[in-house]
Amino acid sequence: YHQATGRRGPFLAVNCATIPPGLAERLLFGAKRGAYSGASESSTGYVQEADGGTLFLDEVADLDSLVQPKLLRLLEEREVMELGGTRPRKVDLRVCAATHKSLRAEVDAGRFREDLYFRIGKPEVRLPALAERPEEIPELLGFGVREVSPGMRMGRAFVEECLRRRWRGNVRELLLDARHAARAAVAAGRNVVEVVDLVQVAAPEIGDRLAPRAQ
């Protein structure tokens, strides 16, 4: 999507859940030299790095509440103020966001600003769980298997077994198991993935089946 729309700048993905609260403002918006103790040099934030392109904020519901007003200003004014700065800088970027939480529920709980929600929460695109789109499973399996061995083929029993599973971890879980099965096939000297090993998953609810195994 980023490439198809002709954006001249980079695509930059940021996982908000992994940003320590005390560093969120500096990492996102940058900082001027001397803005805080130990700031011997100016630093560029993710927003400036994505200028001209797309900034993807993954797990945006986990963004530090103290930074949310500054993100709102960025979206409304298309300008960014570095930490310790005195003048805002205009930026041209597309901001996209994703989360596994309900932003509406986060707003109701007081953890997410309502005005920011209306800026990034609409329009909302819901990605159905993998169990709701089983027709995509064979293609995704093939992608995961070919990452390990480009010439590897998939046996019918392997695909059928994967079609029976719920994949509560969605695409991430499927690709993990596809790669594992492909590596096991390579180790056994085969060029066909014939079985899927369920022992790799730790949680008992992950990897369960939609229907009993065919006898």
Side-chain angles (χ1 to χ4, degrees):
Y1 175 73
H2 167 75
Q3 295 176 339
T5 52
R7 300 295 292 181
R8 59 179 174 80
F11 176 89
L12 183 61
V14 177
N15 189 334
C16 298
T18 64
I19 300 178
L23 299 179
E25 184 175 5
R26 176 170 65 85
L27 292 177
L28 282 171
F29 305 108
K32 300 290 287 185
R33 178 181 178 182
Y36 56 91
S37 178
S40 57
E41 297 181 356
S42 296
S43 60
T44 302
Y46 296 134
V47 170
Q48 293 93 326
E49 291 180 7
D51 192 12
T54 300
L55 177 64
F56 174 55
L57 299 176
D58 196 12
E59 301 298 351
V60 71
D62 295 315
L63 185 64
D64 184 2
S65 60
L66 297 178
V67 178
Q68 292 177 22
K70 200 163 184 176
L71 176 60
L72 179 63
R73 179 176 176 81
L74 168 70
L75 296 174
E76 292 183 338
E77 305 297 334
R78 297 294 173 180
E79 61 184 27
V80 58
M81 178 77 79
E82 298 165 311
L83 183 64
T86 57
R87 292 184 179 181
R89 168 189 166 184
K90 287 291 184 180
V91 289
D92 171 27
L93 75 165
R94 177 194 293 118
V95 177
C96 301
T99 179
H100 72 284
K101 299 179 181 179
S102 167
L103 277 185
R104 183 69 259 178
E106 292 299 299
V107 169
D108 294 341
R111 291 187 291 266
F112 200 82
R113 290 179 61 108
E114 188 170 39
D115 47 6
L116 181 57
Y117 165 72
F118 286 118
R119 288 293 302 183
I120 67 174
K122 302 292 181 180
E124 178 181 346
V125 179
R126 176 184 175 271
L127 182 63
L130 189 57
E132 299 176 46
R133 44 194 174 103
E135 68 279 0
E136 298 180 21
I137 288 178
E139 183 176 355
L140 290 169
L141 284 172
F143 176 79
V145 165
R146 288 190 298 272
E147 279 189 321
V148 176
S149 178
M152 185 74 66
R153 295 181 291 110
M154 298 184 297
R156 178 177 176 180
F158 171 71
V159 176
E160 289 180 347
E161 171 67 14
C162 290
L163 286 170
R164 293 189 183 99
R165 291 172 57 183
R166 292 186 183 276
W167 299 110
R168 295 183 186 272
N170 290 301
V171 176
R172 183 179 287 109
E173 182 196 358
L174 180 142
L175 291 178
L176 179 66
D177 272 14
R179 296 184 190 110
H180 170 76
R183 292 190 189 100
V186 170
R190 302 192 305 264
N191 65 353
V192 179
V193 180
E194 298 172 339
V195 295
V196 57
D197 189 350
L198 302 183
V199 301
Q200 296 302 306
V201 293
E205 70 275 9
I206 297 179
D208 57 356
R209 298 180 176 85
L210 288 168
R213 183 193 296 271
Q215 299 298 319

